[in-house]
Amino acid sequence: MVSAPEPGPAALVRPGRVHRRIYSDPAIFEREMDCVFGQAWIYVGHESEIREPGDFVRTRIGRKPMVMTRHEDGRICVIHNQCAHRGAMVVAEDRGNAAEFVCCYHGWTYGTDGRLARVPLRHGYPQDFDPEDPRTAMVGAPRVASYRGFVFASLAPDGPPLEEFLGHMTTSFDDMVDRAPDGEIEVAGGIFKHAYDGNWKLYLENLCDAAHPLFVHQSSIAAAHDQDDDVHTDGFGEIAVRQMRQNGAPYKFWQEEVGIWTYPNGHSFLGDYHDDEKLVAAQRNPVFADYIAALEAKKGADEARRILEVTRWNSNVYPNLSFMSQFRQLRVIHPVAVNRTEVHTYSFRLKGAPEKMFEDTIAFANVTNGTGSLVLTDDLETYGRIGAGVTSEGAEWIQVGRGYTTDLPDDHGGVQGSDSTSEVYIRNMYDAWLGYMAAE
Ligand code: FES
Ligand SMILES: [Fe+2]
């Protein structure tokens, strides 16, 4: 008997529901690597990581190992980390500076733009071997572009330009960079790396989920309430304590005070759920006052006020990036297998801001992104439990319908949740997913 063909991706997404295979089927994962990660603009790194000619960092597009380089002519190149001879990965260091890349196996040597420069035993290859052939290189991604220092690459030769792909989300990148008095930010302070036994999509599905903190983060909320405000700092409260306490805000607050906005291509952002008394500010904190003074000196009082009045929490750029402009945090999602995901998190320094602001950034990174963070570990446990749960044969359809009937249009061509606990941002990601997955 001939078995029926597997249904296509469109059969796995229904209004307000997705099939659990989306998180557990290796064949779906393989198709995602080709169709989503092979087509979309993928965040590969920040320009500050490759300032000087010869600077490089290893990165990935989906599972593919890539290298982002600054070539001698100043160009940013994103090249496949594969030797054209017998396929060895050429660059093994995470980052560094090099005049050339030399393969460890037989010494084929490449320029920092990926072009093949030298081949030992050149005379031994057949007459028609052409080292100038662009296919005999560390082949470059067909498209590379950056927006305000954030570098993206696409493996698809055709598609929308980067700014069109980002759409209204450019304003979140603007918010991140505009906060620097000198108009520039840089990666600083090291990188946290963590992994979980669950699907890559779960990560972005959590970062705009306003219904989970009160429940998932109960233990750290309780621990934070036990702390004395003045234990750690000079009367303004430890940033970790403020953050964790606010995770315990009542549902009514999450529903009414936060806001969730979504945009084409799967992107979204969640509003801030703190106020200045609770977190960012520490507006009464002398360090923050020095920062505001530096911002006003460079940008003027009106522009400084406009910048500081933007309050966004996580901005998600589908499919592999989430960042938080107020705390200069950025997370990059690397799919490894259908039930294995790695996440790298970065902190940024605001140029021209007092150094203590960066210390706050690091403190915040330790709270939210650090491998030993009381908050992150709760979330990782949840992703692992979903990874395990979706392999069972329980409920076939996963519910993503909260707020489905009350979504609203937004002023910038997107869709807004009528309250912040809406799962509109997940449905929005599946709209984008279907567009990629259904493409030939
Ligand atoms: S595999 Fe790279 S030189 Fe042979
Ligand atoms: Fe969380």
Side-chain angles (χ1 to χ4, degrees):
M1 195 177 106
V2 179
S3 57
E6 286 289 318
L12 302 173
V13 178
R14 291 185 182 166
R17 293 185 294 168
V18 296
H19 197 279
R20 64 164 184 254
R21 276 182 50 213
I22 270 179
Y23 302 99
S24 64
D25 185 337
I28 303 269
F29 178 81
E30 291 300 325
R31 191 174 169 95
E32 288 173 341
M33 293 305 100
D34 289 343
C35 295
V36 181
F37 284 83
Q39 285 190 82
W41 283 102
I42 303 296
Y43 177 75
V44 289
H46 191 262
E47 288 183 12
S48 64
E49 297 177 274
I50 47 163
R51 268 189 208 295
E52 303 299 327
D55 283 354
F56 66 88
V57 291
R58 287 204 301 155
T59 183
R60 297 183 213 173
I61 296 182
R63 285 172 304 182
K64 294 178 175 34
M66 310 290 292
V67 189
M68 178 175 79
T69 72
R70 177 78 65 175
H71 191 48
E72 60 204 16
D73 59 6
R75 242 179 334 130
I76 294 172
C77 302
V78 178
I79 55 180
H80 287 269
N81 194 358
Q82 183 209 325
C83 179
H85 179 216
R86 298 238 305 261
M89 191 177 79
V90 177
V91 178
E93 298 82 15
D94 279 346
R95 59 192 58 234
N97 183 279
E100 294 176 323
F101 299 130
V102 183
C103 180
C104 70
Y105 202 176
H106 312 92
W108 283 32
T109 300
Y110 301 88
T112 49
D113 57 352
R115 190 183 36 84
L116 182 59
R118 279 189 307 288
V119 175
L121 298 172
R122 164 79 182 82
H123 57 277
Y125 289 89
Q127 292 265 316
D128 62 354
F129 169 65
D130 177 10
E132 301 291 325
D133 184 334
R135 289 168 299 184
T136 310
M138 292 175 73
V139 176
R143 290 188 298 157
V144 178
S146 51
Y147 183 77
R148 300 204 67 178
F150 297 86
V151 185
F152 291 74
S154 172
L155 295 180
D158 304 308
L162 178 62
E163 282 197 38
E164 187 183 322
F165 166 82
L166 295 174
H168 188 59
M169 295 306 290
T170 54
T171 56
S172 284
F173 291 102
D174 294 341
D175 183 41
M176 183 106 148
V177 181
D178 287 348
R179 287 170 183 272
D182 289 349
E184 208 183 315
I185 61 174
E186 61 183 3
V187 170
I191 303 162
F192 279 124
K193 297 178 180 175
H194 55 270
Y196 59 91
D197 290 333
N199 190 260
W200 65 273
K201 297 185 289 298
L202 299 172
Y203 212 90
L204 290 185
E205 290 178 11
N206 181 58
L207 291 181
C208 286
D209 186 333
H212 89 283
L214 183 57
F215 210 77
V216 168
H217 299 301
Q218 273 179 15
S219 62
S220 56
I221 293 164
H225 279 292
D226 285 346
Q227 298 290 312
D228 185 322
D229 278 350
D230 295 336
V231 167
H232 300 290
T233 60
D234 37 6
F236 296 98
E238 167 68 23
I239 194 168
V241 172
R242 295 201 302 268
Q243 153 70 0
M244 290 191 281
R245 282 184 188 168
Q246 186 63 0
N247 276 342
Y251 281 132
K252 184 172 162 50
F253 172 87
W254 292 104
Q255 288 181 299
E256 294 175 4
E257 305 289 334
V258 179
I260 174 80
W261 292 266
T262 76
Y263 297 98
N265 301 317
H267 315 320
S268 59
F269 62 81
L270 184 70
D272 192 4
Y273 59 96
H274 302 78
D275 62 35
D276 290 346
E277 288 301 309
K278 296 190 185 75
L279 189 64
V280 171
Q283 296 266 6
R284 293 169 295 119
N285 182 327
V287 173
F288 206 72
D290 289 347
Y291 163 61
I292 294 174
L295 198 61
E296 286 181 343
K298 288 284 169 65
K299 310 219 175 201
D302 288 349
E303 177 65 357
R305 193 176 317 110
R306 182 198 68 75
I307 291 166
L308 294 172
E309 278 174 2
V310 178
T311 53
R312 291 182 187 178
W313 200 247
N314 291 317
S315 289
N316 289 351
V317 176
Y318 189 79
N320 80 324
L321 175 67
S322 180
F323 61 99
M324 185 188 283
S325 45
Q326 290 188 73
F327 287 92
R328 291 76 69 187
Q329 312 279 302
L330 180 144
R331 313 184 228 208
V332 185
I333 296 137
H334 297 296
V336 176
V338 67
N339 60 351
R340 184 73 176 167
T341 306
E342 208 174 291
V343 180
H344 297 182
T345 74
Y346 299 77
S347 294
F348 287 78
R349 179 186 274 115
L350 299 174
K351 286 209 162 177
E355 189 61 13
K356 181 71 173 64
M357 291 291 289
F358 183 60
E359 289 172 25
D360 255 14
T361 296
I362 294 301
F364 193 82
N366 285 330
V367 176
T368 55
N369 294 333
T371 318
S373 149
L374 294 176
V375 179
L376 173 76
T377 42
D378 295 333
D379 292 314
L380 291 180
E381 172 70 16
T382 308
Y383 307 144
R385 289 197 193 189
I386 297 173
V390 293
T391 62
S392 78
E393 294 188 349
E396 199 175 343
W397 291 89
I398 304 289
Q399 304 294 318
V400 293
R402 202 169 53 233
Y404 180 59
T405 56
T406 54
D407 293 342
L408 302 163
D410 124 296
D411 296 343
H412 305 280
V415 177
Q416 193 180 340
S418 60
D419 90 50
S420 322
T421 64
S422 170
E423 287 161 333
V424 60
Y425 66 97
I426 301 180
R427 296 188 287 277
N428 183 56
M429 285 192 276
Y430 280 109
D431 286 347
W433 184 88
L434 265 183
Y436 290 121
M437 293 289 276
E440 285 304 313

